[in-house]
Structures are given as structure tokens and as C-alpha cells.
């Protein structure tokens, strides 16, 4: 299996991201309105819980969107092996779950491999700090 590194693959456009965010927001709003209609005399705790859930869902979609806009960037040329300085081969993307203040976020990181030293590397991601 051979991968050709590319500068960017399948990066969503602004219009695509907006469509997705609006669709998710609309679904979440519908759920919220269902709850409003079905809950006749909610107490403050129930209202808080409903609003927090609404906020969580919208926030999750926004965080996923921000990550997807970053996730498919492969450095060109590939990074150098820290041991032998040869160019490493793009091997695969590996899923990683990150716990954030918003929610658990699933992201894909590019994985590079040096056939000479038989060692792998996740290059740092310059576009998102702290990862
Ligand atoms: Zn090496």
C-alpha cells in the first residue's frame, strides 16, 4: 500500500462547513423545541440541563468542524527521520481521541515511517497549538 503525500486532501470549503453547521444546529433546535413543547412545567434544573445539552451539541459540531478543516494537511516534503535524516514515508492516518473542555474530540493524525530505522513519527501539527 503506497500513499502519495499531498498538500491538502478533501479540505471542506466554507460553504460546506456552513451547510453542515446549519443542518446540525437546525436538528438540535428541533430537539430543543420538542422538549419545550413536551415539558409543561419545567423547573430551573430541567431548563438548565436542556440548555446545557443544546450547548454541548452545538459546541461539539463546531469543534469537529474546526478539526476537520485542519486534519487532512500532510507536510510536503515528508518529515526527515530524526535518527538517519532520510525522508520518511507517509504511512497512514491514525485516529486519536482528545479530551477537551468542549467534549471528546476525534482527530486523525498523519503517521510517517522510516523504513531504514523502522521507526514511526507523528509530526507536530503547527496549525493547532497544544496538540
Ligand atoms: Zn531513519
Amino acid at each position: 500500500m503506497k500513499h502519495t503525500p499531498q498538500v491538502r486532501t478533501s479540505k471542506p470549503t466554507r460553504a460546506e462547513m456552513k451547510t453542515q453547521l446549519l443542518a446540525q444546529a437546525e436538528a438540535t433546535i428541533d430537539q430543543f423545541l420538542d422538549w419545550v413543547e413536551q415539558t409543561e412545567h419545567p423547573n430551573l434544573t430541567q431548563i438548565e440541563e436542556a440548555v446545557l445539552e443544546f450547548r454541548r451539541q452545538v459546541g461539539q459540531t463546531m469543534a469537529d468542524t474546526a478539526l476537520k478543516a485542519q486534519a487532512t494537511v500532510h507536510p510536503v516534503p515528508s518529515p526527515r527521520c530524526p535518527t538517519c535524516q532520510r525522508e520518511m514515508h507517509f504511512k497512514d492516518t491514525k485516529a486519536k481521541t482528545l479530551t477537551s473542555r468542549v467534549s471528546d474530540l476525534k482527530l486523525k493524525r498523519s503517521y510517517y515511517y522510516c523504513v531504514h530505522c523502522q521507526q514511526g513519527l507523528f509530526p507536530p501539527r503547527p496549525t493547532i497549538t497544544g496538540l
Side-chain angles (χ1 to χ4, degrees):
M1 193 168 58
K2 187 140 184 141
H3 291 273
T4 307
Q6 291 173 323
V7 177
R8 287 174 188 277
T9 54
S10 67
K11 184 176 163 63
T13 64
R14 182 189 170 106
E16 285 166 348
M17 290 190 284
K18 189 172 176 179
T19 301
Q20 196 181 11
L21 284 169
L22 286 173
Q24 180 61 50
E26 188 171 10
T28 306
I29 288 167
D30 276 332
Q31 265 181 39
F32 178 72
L33 292 176
D34 286 347
W35 177 84
V36 168
E37 285 172 2
Q38 289 159 15
T39 312
E40 291 203 1
H41 302 290
N43 61 32
L44 185 57
T45 302
Q46 287 173 309
I47 292 171
E48 280 176 337
E49 279 167 5
V51 171
L52 286 173
E53 175 60 16
F54 176 82
R55 204 165 76 175
R56 189 193 67 77
Q57 288 185 24
V58 173
Q60 168 88 60
T61 308
M62 290 176 110
D64 284 345
T65 302
L67 282 175
K68 269 185 207 151
Q70 311 288 340
T72 51
V73 179
H74 303 310
V76 173
S78 296
R80 296 273 163 189
C81 172
T83 307
C84 70
Q85 304 302 314
R86 287 177 170 88
E87 190 174 330
M88 300 181 88
H89 297 274
F90 173 66
K91 185 108 174 159
D92 207 351
T93 54
K94 296 204 187 245
K96 182 183 176 184
T97 302
L98 188 79
T99 303
S100 78
R101 285 178 294 168
V102 179
S103 65
D104 282 354
L105 301 172
K106 286 186 178 57
L107 60 109
K108 285 181 180 170
R109 300 194 66 187
S110 300
Y111 182 69
Y112 291 83
Y113 190 74
C114 176
V115 287
H116 185 74
C117 304
Q118 301 186 346
Q119 71 172 345
L121 175 79
F122 290 102
R125 297 163 53 81
T127 46
I128 303 178
T129 52
L131 292 186

